Amino acid sequence: MLTQWWQKNRQRLVAHYCQHCGLALEAREGSSSLIWLLCRRCQEALQVPRCRCCGIACLQEVDYCGQCLTSPPLWRHLYCVGDYTPPLSHYVQRLKFNQQLHQADVLAQMLAQQITSDVEAITFVPLHWRRQFGRGFNQSELIARALAKRLGLPCIGLFKRTRATKAQLGMSRKQRQQNLTNAFELSEINRYSSLAIVDDVVTTGSTVQQLCKLLLDAGAKSVDIYCICRTPEPHSER
């Protein structure tokens, strides 16, 4: 009862400001924490036309962009929140490098609003054990588990990173593909026909492409990609 009253009245009692543009937030109904995070205009600014297949921004929304028609990826659809630019990049960085683990739920909440596909289970991009030990967590796993809870789906760790790879910042698509060759394997038997792979940032798609192949070779019929940021800019995925 008290929680409902606070949700209804806190805009009147406490000043709230958009964490991106700094303008005062307008009063809005709803229980989503996003209405106290970004103003309506900043949330709408994240919504740009994209290719439904690869997720790259386009002049208008299309099922397949020219690149996907010429060289289609192994996955079916890619869903994202936006490009790797503020404010999204700030939230991802706070999660990964500032140990603000609550950001995983915020990001999952944003991502859940974009997803329209129907899959049986969610999995996630793995970290090598040394990197995960140093960081203390896998940010993609945290987002995946928060997202799975919101969507009412099982979340399972299906992949293992078999070797440490070089940081991919500044690498070309070809160099990334070579860097990731034989870097992953299935750690569990896949029992699902349709799955989604969660990652925080997808740039060239080399990482998720490798994981898609493993799932399809193991009997999956379709794979979707769920990520926070989809950008063609040369930012590192891992």
Side-chain angles (χ1 to χ4, degrees), residues 28-35 37-38 43-44 46-47 79-81 105-117 147 150-151 226-228:
R28 282 183 281 168
E29 294 295 327
S31 59
S32 168
S33 64
L34 297 184
I35 65 176
L37 187 69
L38 298 173
Q43 287 194 52
E44 291 175 350
L46 297 174
Q47 307 304 310
Y79 297 88
C80 69
V81 181
D105 189 62
V106 172
L107 294 170
Q109 191 175 158
M110 290 182 178
L111 182 53
Q113 295 180 351
Q114 309 303 318
I115 294 169
T116 59
S117 69
L147 181 64
R150 288 186 173 277
L151 299 179
Y226 297 166
C227 64
I228 304 302

Side-chain angles (χ1 to χ4, degrees), residues 15 19 41 48 109 112 121 134-135 155 172 196-197 199 202 213 222 232:
Q19 291 190 9
R41 179 170 295 180
V48 300
Q109 191 175 158
R135 185 174 294 171
C155 181
S172 66
I197 301 172
D199 201 3
V202 173
K213 186 176 188 308
S222 66

Side-chain angles (χ1 to χ4, degrees), residues 169-184:
L169 180 63
M171 287 188 179
S172 66
R173 181 183 297 269
K174 184 176 181 180
Q175 289 172 327
R176 288 180 182 229
Q177 291 172 343
Q178 292 173 343
N179 186 44
L180 294 169
T181 300
N182 298 321
F184 304 102

Side-chain angles (χ1 to χ4, degrees), residues 8-161:
K8 184 178 180 180
N9 293 282
R10 67 174 176 176
Q11 180 68 32
R12 178 172 58 85
L13 299 173
V14 182
H16 291 272
Y17 299 92
C18 176
Q19 291 190 9
H20 182 49
C21 70
L23 295 179
L25 292 173
E26 65 275 24
R28 282 183 281 168
E29 294 295 327
S31 59
S32 168
S33 64
L34 297 184
I35 65 176
W36 309 109
L37 187 69
L38 298 173
C39 67
R40 192 189 305 275
R41 179 170 295 180
C42 285
Q43 287 194 52
E44 291 175 350
L46 297 174
Q47 307 304 310
V48 300
R50 294 183 181 274
C51 170
R52 297 186 186 94
C53 182
C54 70
I56 291 294
C58 302
L59 293 177
Q60 62 182 20
E61 191 168 306
V62 294
D63 289 329
Y64 300 95
C65 65
Q67 180 63 33
C68 289
L69 288 171
T70 303
S71 180
L74 292 178
W75 62 79
R76 181 179 58 172
H77 298 298
L78 185 146
Y79 297 88
C80 69
V81 181
D83 284 344
Y84 191 74
T85 56
L88 288 181
S89 57
H90 292 164
Y91 300 139
V92 171
Q93 290 167 8
R94 290 168 189 167
L95 170 61
K96 291 172 68 172
F97 306 121
N98 291 26
Q99 289 75 46
Q100 294 185 11
L101 303 188
H102 67 279
Q103 299 290 353
D105 189 62
V106 172
L107 294 170
Q109 191 175 158
M110 290 182 178
L111 182 53
Q113 295 180 351
Q114 309 303 318
I115 294 169
T116 59
S117 69
D118 184 17
V119 297
E120 297 174 348
I122 289 177
T123 187
F124 47 87
V125 174
L127 286 178
H128 189 266
W129 70 267
R130 283 202 293 266
R131 181 164 296 183
Q132 183 158 342
F133 180 79
R135 185 174 294 171
F137 58 90
N138 176 354
Q139 72 280 354
S140 295
E141 179 180 359
L142 294 181
I143 296 169
R145 296 199 180 281
L147 181 64
K149 185 176 180 180
R150 288 186 173 277
L151 299 179
L153 294 171
C155 181
I156 48 176
L158 283 176
F159 303 110
K160 177 183 178 182
R161 203 151 190 154

Side-chain angles (χ1 to χ4, degrees), residues 204-217:
T204 66
S206 300
T207 300
V208 290
Q209 186 87 341
Q210 295 278 344
L211 300 180
C212 280
K213 186 176 188 308
L214 288 175
L215 288 177
L216 294 172
D217 288 346

